[in-house]
Amino acid sequence: MRRVARNGLGIAAALLTIAAAHSPQWRWNLLAGMAPPPVPIDNPMSAAKVELGRRLFYEADLSIDGTMSCGTCHSQKHAFADDNRTRPGVYGDPGRRNVPGLANVGYAARLTWADPRLTSLELQVAVPVLGEHPVEMGMKGKEAEIARRLASDSCYIRMFQTAFPEVNGAIDMTTVAKALAAFERTMLAFDTPFDRSRRGRADAMIPAARRGAELFFGRADCASCHGGPNFTDDGFHALEVPTRGTDRGLGEVTGIASDDGKFRTPGLRNVALTAPYMHDGESPTLIDAVRHHRTVASIERLSEPDIADLVAFLRALTDQRFITDPQFALPMKACGKKL
């Protein structure tokens, strides 16, 4: 019997209102004036592809021993992050970096902590499934085994045929990656107290959060890196120079010494749910993370009350629908039957 990892919950899409942007067979539920995430021309959105991607997101047969799925590390209750500093792979190898949350990942220009070459969700799929540094799901060189496992399920055969008629329902790493990427693009999180405040709900944020917003966009200058609708510039920055033997970050990829210690600026939507923080999970709480920035970035002008207000603002970036909508959790049925 096919094994499905059920300890994770999946990528979510906020059910927002007002206006909708359209693509073939898919309707984006977006706020007025908001553009949908960019979609590659060779992987157009469709309801069938998203449904398949959702099932694959929780498919443990994408790992060598059938114990790990994407949802194992990306848990819905943690905004599709993980509450461990790092997560071991199928062989127990320690993880290298903290598991990021996936809110609005479809808009991201950079998709890992420190590799600028991975600029599409389709390419990123290979990191957990096929990667060796470290081993996560352990399927390097086993791509044909993935196809064999999925093709042994008649429901999967039907789902791939419906999602990918242009390639006659081919089951391979290309179509697996495309389906997963399509599902991940539905992960929208724009219904927060901060967003409601911007839409004219003066009471949407508590006073401390309003003070924190003034600090964030003003004196603390957090928005210089955490700017834009997703609170990230998608750039690589170093808060501190790594010591010998520690993670080089961007420098590991570029080979340039001045890139050592640089990591991608994480987006802050749902950040209150994605603890621990920093690329290595060294900061267990939001307060710790803000204090860490104050220390290494020399923002000494921030007092402890200031930090408390900043944390209140960061909590106001939480989209509760994103973490509770059952239609983005582990599917209980496929092809009209219970899984």
Side-chain angles (χ1 to χ4, degrees), residues 68-93:
M68 180 177 287
S69 73
C70 303
T72 301
C73 298
H74 295 282
S75 170
Q76 187 175 14
K77 68 181 179 180
H78 296 301
F80 303 101
D82 185 71
D83 60 350
N84 297 289
R85 287 189 62 167
T86 61
R87 167 71 73 149
V90 289
Y91 298 127
D93 300 351

Side-chain angles (χ1 to χ4, degrees), residues 41 76 107 115 180 235 274 327:
I41 194 170
Q76 187 175 14
Y107 294 94
D115 192 339
L180 283 167
T274 63
Q327 71 176 307

Side-chain angles (χ1 to χ4, degrees), residues 42-171:
D42 66 343
N43 191 24
M45 296 289 289
S46 73
K49 201 175 291 183
V50 171
E51 180 184 12
L52 172 59
R54 177 188 170 198
R55 186 179 176 191
L56 288 170
F57 188 82
Y58 294 101
E59 180 53 76
D61 272 345
L62 295 186
S63 66
I64 188 65
D65 62 357
T67 63
M68 180 177 287
S69 73
C70 303
T72 301
C73 298
H74 295 282
S75 170
Q76 187 175 14
K77 68 181 179 180
H78 296 301
F80 303 101
D82 185 71
D83 60 350
N84 297 289
R85 287 189 62 167
T86 61
R87 167 71 73 149
V90 289
Y91 298 127
D93 300 351
R96 294 190 70 211
R97 294 168 182 159
N98 183 248
V99 177
L102 298 178
N104 300 337
V105 69
Y107 294 94
R110 307 274 176 59
L111 292 166
T112 67
W113 276 109
D115 192 339
R117 299 168 297 185
L118 296 174
T119 58
S120 78
L121 290 168
E122 289 79 2
L123 288 174
Q124 193 278 333
V125 168
V127 174
V129 179
L130 307 178
E132 295 182 288
H133 184 51
V135 172
E136 294 182 53
M137 299 171 81
M139 295 302 285
K140 178 69 173 180
K142 303 291 185 181
E143 293 89 338
E145 174 64 9
I146 290 175
R148 186 197 68 77
R149 291 178 181 182
L150 299 180
S152 69
D153 184 322
S154 61
C155 179
Y156 264 132
I157 293 174
R158 289 169 54 188
M159 294 180 80
F160 274 91
Q161 288 173 339
T162 305
F164 296 102
E166 70 278 9
V167 291
N168 298 315
I171 301 177

Side-chain angles (χ1 to χ4, degrees), residues 58-308:
Y58 294 101
E59 180 53 76
D61 272 345
L62 295 186
S63 66
I64 188 65
D65 62 357
T67 63
M68 180 177 287
S69 73
C70 303
T72 301
C73 298
H74 295 282
S75 170
Q76 187 175 14
K77 68 181 179 180
H78 296 301
F80 303 101
D82 185 71
D83 60 350
N84 297 289
R85 287 189 62 167
T86 61
R87 167 71 73 149
V90 289
Y91 298 127
D93 300 351
R96 294 190 70 211
R97 294 168 182 159
N98 183 248
V99 177
L102 298 178
N104 300 337
V105 69
Y107 294 94
R110 307 274 176 59
L111 292 166
T112 67
W113 276 109
D115 192 339
R117 299 168 297 185
L118 296 174
T119 58
S120 78
L121 290 168
E122 289 79 2
L123 288 174
Q124 193 278 333
V125 168
V127 174
V129 179
L130 307 178
E132 295 182 288
H133 184 51
V135 172
E136 294 182 53
M137 299 171 81
M139 295 302 285
K140 178 69 173 180
K142 303 291 185 181
E143 293 89 338
E145 174 64 9
I146 290 175
R148 186 197 68 77
R149 291 178 181 182
L150 299 180
S152 69
D153 184 322
S154 61
C155 179
Y156 264 132
I157 293 174
R158 289 169 54 188
M159 294 180 80
F160 274 91
Q161 288 173 339
T162 305
F164 296 102
E166 70 278 9
V167 291
N168 298 315
I171 301 177
D172 54 30
M173 273 306 299
T174 297
T175 51
V176 166
K178 285 184 174 182
L180 283 167
F183 178 54
E184 289 167 352
R185 289 191 175 98
T186 70
M187 186 191 68
L188 306 178
F190 291 106
D191 188 16
T192 71
F194 170 75
D195 296 304
R196 292 192 290 274
S197 175
R198 287 174 63 87
R199 296 197 295 269
R201 284 278 307 277
D203 61 343
M205 292 200 300
I206 63 174
R210 291 197 295 270
R211 293 193 301 269
E214 292 178 1
L215 282 167
F216 186 93
F217 295 106
R219 178 161 56 92
D221 196 28
C222 305
S224 61
C225 292
H226 292 283
N230 290 310
F231 300 91
T232 175
D233 62 1
D234 275 322
F236 298 98
H237 303 283
L239 288 180
E240 52 194 321
V241 177
T243 58
R244 183 179 178 85
T246 59
D247 193 339
R248 292 184 63 191
L250 182 62
E252 183 177 283
V253 175
T254 66
I256 300 172
S258 60
D259 285 339
D260 286 358
K262 290 184 178 179
F263 294 92
R264 184 196 62 175
T265 306
L268 298 181
R269 287 189 173 272
N270 288 321
V271 68
L273 304 173
T274 63
Y277 305 100
M278 312 305 293
H279 71 277
D280 57 359
E282 69 171 298
S283 297
T285 69
L286 274 176
I287 289 178
D288 294 318
V290 175
R291 285 174 179 160
H292 182 75
H293 280 69
R294 179 180 67 174
T295 300
V296 301
S298 299
I299 312 176
E300 300 297 343
R301 59 187 178 277
L302 291 183
S303 65
E304 286 297 309
D306 288 338
I307 290 174

